Amino acid sequence: MLSQLNAAARGVVLLSALLWLMLLTVVVLGVGRLLRNEQRIGSNLDDAQLAFRLAETALQEGEAALPSLPQLAGLGAMPAVELRGPTSPFTLTCRQPRNPPPWQQGLCLSAALAGQAYPVPWQQRDASGLALLHPCGAARRVPLQPVSSGNYCPGVAPGPWYWADPHYLIELLDPRYPTPDGSGLLFRVSARGWGRQAGSVATLQSHVLLRPEGSQGRQWQRLSWRLLP
């Protein structure tokens, strides 16, 4: 009788130990999954921040490039017909082979100036369906990595540090924008950066006024900026 009780007690202890072991296993697996999820979330956040910083770099690069645009001196006096014509440095497709290098792409004419219903450049796609603000589109590249993604278009070969170098578009909004010291040039700069993954994207945009030429040349002023959804 005593041996039967001892055997039953050992069975209960063994069953309890197995239950505790199963419970501990479930807890360990749950904690491991939680840690992996937190690590993934942290990695995605880091990637999004990287994309934002690269887009910011491209935005500043585009703004700083404004004083060196082609035909800048004559833009304010250029007739509307000529501004919309085939020799204009700014086009609806953001490509102009007549421009001197490296300005043969990335310079866009606003649909309002062109008098046409046209998508805004940062949402526009070319005839092949590729976005203009893309490493293989019409945007200007800010070379930060040793390998250009554009060399592999229409595909994109990810770079060693992030998916692709940031790119930007410069859009002419108003060639005769009124300022206290005369007519300035109003531009919209749209910049996009990518993180380590193609899905990590940040798009920034600014409105920039290029003031009339003075003793220090043309000075630019950022009027506003925003993060596009």
Side-chain angles (χ1 to χ4, degrees):
M1 183 69 177
L2 185 60
S3 61
Q4 291 178 350
L5 290 175
N6 289 336
R10 286 196 298 271
V12 171
V13 171
L14 180 60
L15 181 60
S16 299
L18 289 175
L19 290 175
W20 277 108
L21 182 60
M22 291 175 60
L23 180 61
L24 183 61
T25 302
V26 170
V27 170
V28 170
L29 290 176
V31 170
R33 180 176 298 177
L34 180 62
L35 291 176
R36 286 195 299 272
N37 288 340
E38 289 184 352
Q39 186 178 17
R40 188 180 301 112
I41 292 172
S43 177
N44 291 340
L45 182 59
D46 290 343
D47 219 25
Q49 291 175 344
L50 174 61
F52 181 88
R53 291 196 299 270
L54 291 172
E56 192 173 27
T57 298
L59 189 71
Q60 295 170 352
E61 186 85 6
E63 293 170 342
L66 292 176
S68 60
L69 293 179
Q71 301 186 38
L72 190 63
L75 275 181
M78 188 177 293
V81 175
E82 186 177 347
L83 194 60
R84 302 167 186 167
T87 60
S88 172
F90 296 86
T91 66
L92 285 171
T93 61
C94 306
R95 288 185 172 94
Q96 177 53 284
R98 298 173 183 264
N99 284 345
W103 295 107
Q104 295 176 341
Q105 65 181 44
L107 300 185
C108 314
L109 185 66
S110 72
L113 283 179
Q116 298 186 34
Y118 225 71
V120 288
W122 67 93
Q123 295 178 347
Q124 191 183 143
R125 295 181 178 274
D126 59 19
S128 65
L130 192 66
L132 297 187
L133 194 51
H134 183 272
C136 298
R140 288 176 52 81
R141 173 191 172 218
V142 180
L144 300 177
Q145 299 185 107
V147 178
S148 169
S149 302
N151 294 337
Y152 303 94
C153 291
V156 174
W161 304 326
Y162 26 83
W163 185 71
D165 281 335
H167 285 66
Y168 66 87
L169 295 168
I170 296 175
E171 181 185 4
L172 177 62
L173 296 180
D174 190 345
R176 288 175 282 275
Y177 188 80
T179 67
D181 47 354
S183 295
L185 303 170
L186 183 63
F187 295 94
R188 178 162 52 197
V189 181
S190 303
R192 182 166 292 164
W194 293 266
R196 297 176 187 85
Q197 304 296 325
S200 297
V201 183
T203 306
L204 298 178
Q205 192 175 85
S206 66
H207 287 80
V208 184
L209 175 63
L210 200 59
R211 295 186 174 277
E213 190 166 7
S215 58
Q216 302 297 323
R218 285 186 177 268
Q219 302 296 315
W220 61 270
Q221 176 187 359
R222 180 189 286 181
L223 302 180
S224 65
W225 76 277
R226 62 173 177 161
L227 173 65
L228 296 179

